[in-house]
């Protein structure tokens, strides 16, 4: 595997090359294997390879979408790369610093630069803390601001996320889901981070509120120069928000590409099937679409199929897929795929996409 | 598409449901009217708190009473008013002539009884079938809903099945007594998207085959686009717009419907801006006055805050509850 995964280069060269190319986060061969224990003495009887050999770069200022179904390992990847969870192999490089080599105190020093926004705004805010103390907590922990300065900063942050300064003394239960997510975002940006892992940040919100929160995230990204890892199962929203997208299946990244390439010219059969499964709010299109309906369920990650992990549900699998694991390789400029039979010369929209 | 004829199987008028809570009365459903024709696929779209689930649950008194209370209205099904029926009479309809599919099959299946037993129980409760007949029917049903190796699966407990399989079992149970209506409440929301596609495909085929009328409740406008014949859009405990599916998506007449469609990202399109609906969903604790959507509506004017809009017939089968005519750019 080469060391640079340069996928910012547009395949057709049509886009201006004005995009930032500086790598902020570089992960190589990332692994997280959970032991499965059973019996009286809790002997290890197996292992769940939640994240298995995941490699990608995140460029400064971009949004990398990380999509997959439940059990694909997308959330674990986000947690491991922030060192919120143990890492069982590979390397994590954050702006030139090897995160895995850092001790507790060095890690604490670098934490303000990388933050996270969680899925459930009801669960991630302490119900007994006021909004001011929730947003102020990271400021108290990591800065030496005087209390008046801190209060000013809290008011600025509230305004930035579209809440009123007089919301500061209220409690989380007084807010709706969308407003609570705004509080979570204010807390995440309190320390001027460079990188935010957003783990399904809109999945718990109503449709009309999702667009509010996503627009806020895009505005903040532009204003503050943030870099996002946007973890989601919502392929439509990822298309809207991401610059590049990585697709995970059973602990592996199966395809990684620019957002347009991934949606208009998907190369991996799983990406194609995933897209064809997503309904579109257009009755005429829906009736005429040809769908690839995958058979069966996602296999258990504690006992994944040999060779290519997708082969048990893949419409084009052969014996080779059973014995040989496909290499994750660059098939088109900037488009990385792990499939023996991915064809870079196929016509756009072949396979999974919709036909009108 | 289901087989359409104009025979009405369910006619709901002025349904109102309230819940007494510590904080006051929650006005969950505030006068809902709709009809369902035989063999029709009706989509009911709304966000949380719009009253879409409570409306359907109220019909069969599946809401806890108290604190819930049906404060008014009627629901005619086969010349009987479901609202007036005794619990005993309702039991013969629930699960028999009207089947239910819920969002989370894990909480609606009994975890300590095999799925085979649960299906045969439902069949024997509503029909005269013998044990053997019921078992044969259960096997047939599992095959019908596309469960591989159904004979073996009958002996499984719910936890031994995946989410998609459990939802198929729920569909099999709902179909067990050949119901006239199936009410499905967010049946694919808890499932992964590839599994959702399997279930939707299965339901579409089954409906073609059996001609059962289906009410499909969802928050996802995309899911019902390819399934429904007709769609009701609910907001604040009322139907704000009703239209045939093609018309609703191409020519929405209520500002809320339009706003919902504008705020949706689309897989097949990139670069269009998401226009969110500003503000928050209504507080259902206050007695509704005027239009519930008015505080979030860009077209709202003084009448919207004082007078609840009645329905305007736009075209055949399309009605909208709005004081403002978006096409004419002026109040109606």
């Amino acid at each position: 595997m080469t060391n640079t995964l340069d996928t910012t280069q547009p395949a057709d060269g049509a886009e201006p090359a004005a995009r930032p190319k500086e790598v902020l986060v570089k992960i190589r061969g990332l692994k997280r294997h959970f032991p499965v224990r059973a019996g009286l003495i809790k002997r290890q009887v197996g292992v769940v390879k939640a994240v298995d050999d995941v490699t990608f770069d995140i460029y400064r200022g971009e949004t990398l979408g990380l999509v997959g179904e439940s059990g694909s390992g997308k959330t674990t990847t986000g947690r491991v790369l922030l060192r919120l969870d143990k890492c069982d192999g590979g390397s994590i490089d954050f702006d030139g610093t090897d995160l895995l080599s850092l001790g507790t105190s060095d890690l604490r020093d670098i934490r303000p630069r990388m933050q996270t926004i969680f899925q459930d705004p009801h669960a991630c805010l302490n119900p007994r803390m006021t909004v001011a103390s929730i947003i102020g907590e990271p400021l108290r922990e990591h800065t030496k601001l005087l209390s008046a300065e801190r209060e000013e900063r809290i008011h600025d942050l509230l305004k930035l996320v579209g809440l009123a300064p007089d919301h500061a003394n209220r409690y989380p239960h007084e807010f709706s889901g969308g407003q609570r997510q705004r509080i979570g975002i204010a807390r995440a940006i309190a320390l001027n981070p460079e990188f935010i892992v957003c783990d399904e940040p809109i999945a718990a919100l109503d449709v009309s509120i999702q667009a509010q929160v996503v627009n806020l995230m895009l505005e903040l990204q532009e204003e503050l120069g943030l870099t996002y890892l946007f973890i989601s199962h919502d392929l439509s929203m990822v298309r809207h928000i991401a610059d590049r997208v990585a697709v995970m299946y059973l602990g592996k990244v199966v395809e990684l590409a620019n957002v347009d390439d991934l949606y208009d010219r998907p190369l991996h059969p799983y990406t194609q099937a995933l897209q064809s499964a997503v309904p579109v709010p257009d009755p005429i299109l829906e009736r005429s679409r040809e769908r690839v309906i995958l058979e069966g369920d996602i296999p258990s990650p504690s006992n994944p199929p040999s060779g290519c992990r997708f082969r048990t549900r893949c419409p084009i699998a052969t014996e080779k897929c059973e014995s040989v694991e496909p290499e994750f390789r660059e098939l088109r400029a900037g488009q990385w795929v792990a499939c023996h039979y991915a064809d870079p010369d196929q016509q756009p929209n072949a396979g999974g996409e919709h036909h009108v | 598409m289901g087989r359409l004829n104009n025979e009405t199987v369910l006619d709901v008028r002025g349904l109102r449901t309230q819940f007494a809570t510590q904080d006051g009365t929650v006005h969950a459903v505030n006068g809902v009217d709709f009809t369902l024709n035989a063999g029709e696929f009706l989509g009911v779209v709304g966000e949380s708190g719009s009253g879409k689930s409570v409306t359907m649950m109220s019909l069969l008194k599946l809401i806890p009473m108290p604190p819930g209370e049906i404060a008014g209205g009627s629901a005619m099904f086969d010349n009987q008013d479901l609202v007036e029926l005794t619990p005993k009479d309702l039991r013969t309809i629930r699960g028999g002539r009207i089947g239910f599919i819920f969002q989370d099959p894990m909480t609606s299946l009994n975890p300590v009884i095999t799925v085979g037993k649960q299906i045969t129980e439902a069949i024997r409760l509503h029909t005269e079938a013998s044990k053997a007949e019921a078992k044969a029917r259960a096997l047939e049903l599992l095959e019908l809903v596309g469960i591989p190796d159904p004979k073996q699966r009958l002996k499984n407990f719910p936890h031994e099945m995946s989410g998609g399989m459990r939802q198929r079992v729920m569909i099999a149970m709902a179909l067990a007594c050949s119901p006239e209506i199936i009410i499905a409440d967010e049946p694919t929301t808890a499932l992964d998207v590839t599994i959702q596609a399997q279930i939707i495909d299965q339901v579409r085929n089954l409906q073609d085959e059996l001609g059962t009328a289906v009410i499909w409740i969802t928050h996802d406008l995309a899911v019902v686009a390819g399934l429904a014949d007709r769609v009701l859009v609910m907001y604040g405990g009322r139907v704000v717009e009703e239209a045939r599916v093609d018309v609703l998506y191409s020519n929405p007449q209520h500002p809320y419907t339009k706003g919902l469609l504008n705020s949706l990202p689309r897989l097949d399109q990139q670069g269009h801006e998401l226009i969110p609906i500003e503000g928050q969903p209504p507080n259902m604790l206050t007695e509704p006055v005027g239009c519930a959507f008015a505080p979030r509506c860009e077209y709202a004017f003084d009448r919207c805050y004082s007078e609840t809009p009645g329905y305007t017939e736009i075209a055949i089968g399309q009605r909208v509850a709005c004081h403002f005519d978006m096409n004419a750019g002026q109040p109606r």
Side-chain angles (χ1 to χ4, degrees):
Chain A
M1 189 152 297
T2 41
N3 246 347
T4 46
L5 286 178
D6 181 6
T7 53
T8 54
Q9 202 68 50
D12 48 5
E15 277 180 72
R19 267 193 207 151
K21 303 261 286 184
E22 184 198 342
V23 176
L24 181 64
V25 183
K26 188 197 276 186
I27 65 172
R28 292 290 174 271
L30 200 70
K31 288 191 177 76
R32 178 70 179 111
H33 295 175
F34 293 100
V36 180
R37 293 175 198 282
L40 202 58
I41 53 167
K42 298 284 171 215
R43 207 152 46 101
Q44 186 173 336
V45 293
V47 63
V48 174
K49 296 179 176 176
V51 177
D52 201 18
D53 204 3
V54 165
T55 294
F56 56 73
D57 290 340
I58 305 173
Y59 294 92
R60 193 183 283 279
E62 78 164 350
T63 299
L64 177 69
L66 188 58
V67 301
E69 297 181 276
S70 42
S72 62
K74 54 191 192 303
T75 294
T76 310
T77 302
R79 289 176 53 87
V80 170
L81 84 82
L82 289 180
R83 278 200 65 185
L84 295 172
D85 199 347
K86 210 178 126 214
C87 181
D88 296 316
S91 68
I92 311 163
D93 180 292
F94 178 77
D95 199 17
T97 309
D98 176 9
L99 282 191
L100 294 174
S101 70
L102 295 183
T104 321
S105 114
D106 288 336
L107 192 59
R108 198 185 126 87
D109 289 343
I110 207 167
R111 283 248 178 259
R113 299 176 60 192
M114 37 191 217
Q115 294 289 320
T116 171
I117 300 170
F118 296 99
Q119 170 173 355
D120 187 352
H122 300 250
C124 72
L125 303 177
N126 186 334
R128 292 172 187 231
M129 284 166 78
T130 62
V131 170
S133 49
I134 288 170
I135 301 174
E137 196 174 31
L139 297 170
R140 277 195 305 279
E141 280 291 314
H142 287 283
T143 68
K144 295 195 170 69
L145 293 181
L146 301 172
S147 76
E149 293 168 331
R150 204 161 59 218
E151 202 168 303
E152 200 187 317
R153 174 80 180 137
I154 291 168
H155 285 187
D156 288 347
L157 285 165
L158 283 172
K159 265 189 261 169
L160 204 55
V161 298
L163 294 171
D166 64 356
H167 286 140
N169 295 321
R170 300 211 207 150
Y171 289 88
H173 74 265
E174 297 175 62
F175 294 91
S176 67
Q179 287 173 319
R180 266 182 263 205
Q181 199 55 289
R182 287 174 194 267
I183 298 167
I185 292 172
R187 178 176 61 182
I189 60 172
L191 296 167
N192 288 319
E194 291 150 63
F195 175 54
I196 302 181
V197 173
C198 318
D199 189 0
E200 300 267 16
I202 53 161
L205 305 177
D206 269 323
V207 180
S208 72
I209 309 296
Q210 287 185 353
Q212 290 180 7
V213 172
V214 162
N215 283 357
L216 171 68
M217 289 176 62
L218 288 170
E219 279 162 30
L220 291 173
Q221 178 170 42
E222 183 140 343
E223 210 163 311
L224 309 173
L226 296 168
T227 305
Y228 290 139
L229 176 66
F230 190 87
I231 301 170
S232 179
H233 69 279
D234 183 341
L235 273 90
S236 308
M237 193 57 96
V238 167
R239 168 156 216 182
H240 181 76
I241 197 172
D243 299 303
R244 291 185 308 138
V245 181
V247 181
M248 285 188 79
Y249 187 79
L250 276 182
K252 299 253 184 208
V253 173
V254 296
E255 185 160 3
L256 170 68
N258 269 319
V259 66
D260 290 342
D261 289 333
L262 191 100
Y263 284 86
D264 294 337
R265 289 172 288 275
L267 288 177
H268 198 284
Y270 178 60
T271 315
Q272 293 167 356
L274 205 54
Q275 287 183 22
S276 110
V278 177
V280 176
D282 183 336
I284 297 158
L285 194 60
E286 274 295 303
R287 284 198 288 271
S288 61
R289 269 172 94 185
E290 277 175 40
R291 286 179 193 281
V292 184
I293 304 247
L294 289 181
E295 305 260 316
D297 289 304
I298 303 174
S300 159
S302 64
N303 185 21
S306 63
C308 172
R309 293 188 176 186
F310 182 57
R311 69 173 168 82
T312 52
R313 301 173 76 198
C314 181
I316 57 169
T318 64
E319 278 163 26
K320 185 182 178 189
C321 305
E322 198 176 329
S323 50
V324 185
E325 191 177 331
E327 192 198 343
F328 188 54
R329 62 202 195 283
E330 190 173 19
L331 273 187
R332 269 204 294 256
Q335 189 158 9
W336 293 71
V337 187
C339 175
H340 294 306
Y341 299 104
D343 175 11
D345 301 320
Q346 74 186 26
Q347 290 304 303
N349 279 350
E353 269 294 345
H354 22 76
H355 306 270
V356 186
Chain B
M1 289 292 117
R3 289 163 226 169
L4 289 187
N5 55 40
N6 289 329
E7 189 200 333
T8 301
V9 286
L10 183 66
D11 188 352
V12 177
R13 292 285 146 226
L15 189 74
R16 292 154 50 80
T17 306
Q18 298 172 350
F19 292 89
T21 68
Q22 273 186 339
D23 301 322
T25 305
V26 174
H27 303 267
V29 179
N30 303 309
V32 166
D33 314 316
F34 71 93
T35 59
L36 178 71
N37 293 334
E40 186 183 29
F41 201 115
L42 181 69
V44 181
V45 176
E47 298 181 279
S48 38
S50 64
K52 58 191 190 303
S53 292
V54 176
T55 299
M56 301 307 160
M57 306 274 261
S58 305
L59 295 180
L60 294 182
K61 303 204 175 136
L62 286 172
I63 52 170
M65 294 196 279
E69 183 207 351
I70 297 175
S74 65
M76 297 306 290
F77 172 73
D78 190 21
N79 295 321
Q80 338 171 49
D81 185 357
L82 295 177
V83 174
E84 301 290 328
L85 281 188
T86 62
K88 188 162 167 276
D89 289 335
L90 255 183
R91 259 207 303 278
T92 65
I93 293 177
R94 256 192 320 236
R97 301 180 62 188
I98 302 181
F100 258 93
I101 304 169
F102 296 101
Q103 173 173 344
D104 183 0
M106 200 59 217
T107 52
S108 20
L109 290 170
N110 188 330
V112 296
I113 300 177
T114 62
V115 297
K117 185 139 193 242
Q118 293 187 56
I119 301 174
T120 47
E121 239 175 27
I123 297 168
R124 296 197 66 203
L125 189 70
H126 291 286
T127 64
E128 308 276 281
S130 71
K131 232 175 179 166
E133 284 164 353
K135 204 169 167 195
R137 172 85 179 134
L139 193 63
E140 197 182 298
L141 284 164
L142 287 194
E143 249 166 59
L144 188 70
V145 296
I147 292 184
D149 195 8
K151 214 164 190 169
Q152 212 50 44
R153 285 302 192 174
L154 279 178
K155 296 178 203 153
N156 277 171
F157 289 95
H159 75 266
E160 296 173 296
M161 303 181 129
S162 67
M165 282 300 151
R166 285 198 287 260
Q167 199 55 289
R168 285 173 195 264
V169 170
M170 286 302 295
I171 296 172
M173 282 175 82
L175 289 171
C177 304
S178 309
E180 285 132 88
I181 303 172
I182 286 185
I183 300 176
D185 189 357
E186 303 259 13
T188 59
T189 305
L191 304 175
D192 273 319
V193 58
T194 59
I195 310 297
Q196 167 172 289
Q198 291 174 358
I199 299 283
I200 286 179
D201 194 46
Q202 189 79 52
V203 168
R204 195 186 279 131
N205 293 341
L206 281 173
Q207 211 231 352
D208 270 350
E209 203 174 310
L210 306 173
T212 315
V214 177
I215 298 176
W216 185 287
I217 304 168
T218 183
H219 68 281
D220 189 344
L221 274 164
V223 164
V224 286
L227 277 173
D229 299 306
R230 199 156 50 97
V231 178
L232 307 178
V233 180
M234 288 192 67
Y235 190 85
R238 288 190 78 205
V239 174
V240 294
E241 182 163 4
E242 170 187 339
R244 297 204 40 90
V245 67
D246 293 3
V247 177
L248 188 88
Y249 290 77
S250 59
N251 189 20
Q253 291 298 318
H254 197 283
Y256 175 64
T257 317
K258 192 178 150 221
L260 265 188
L261 286 165
N262 283 341
S263 64
L264 274 186
R266 286 181 60 151
L267 186 84
D268 58 334
Q269 286 175 7
Q270 218 233 335
H272 76 286
E273 195 192 345
L274 300 189
I275 307 164
I277 304 176
E278 295 302 335
Q280 306 297 331
N283 179 358
M284 305 302 279
L285 276 170
T286 48
E287 177 110 39
V289 182
C291 172
F293 187 60
R296 302 175 73 186
C297 181
E298 56 179 309
Y299 303 100
F301 58 107
D302 44 2
R303 206 199 314 160
C304 302
Y305 295 93
S306 56
E307 191 187 314
T308 306
Y311 291 101
T312 309
E313 192 99 16
I314 305 284
I316 294 173
Q318 184 171 25
R319 63 185 167 122
V320 59
C322 182
H323 288 311
F324 194 83
D325 185 341
M326 281 199 295
N327 294 332
Q330 61 182 38
R332 286 184 209 283

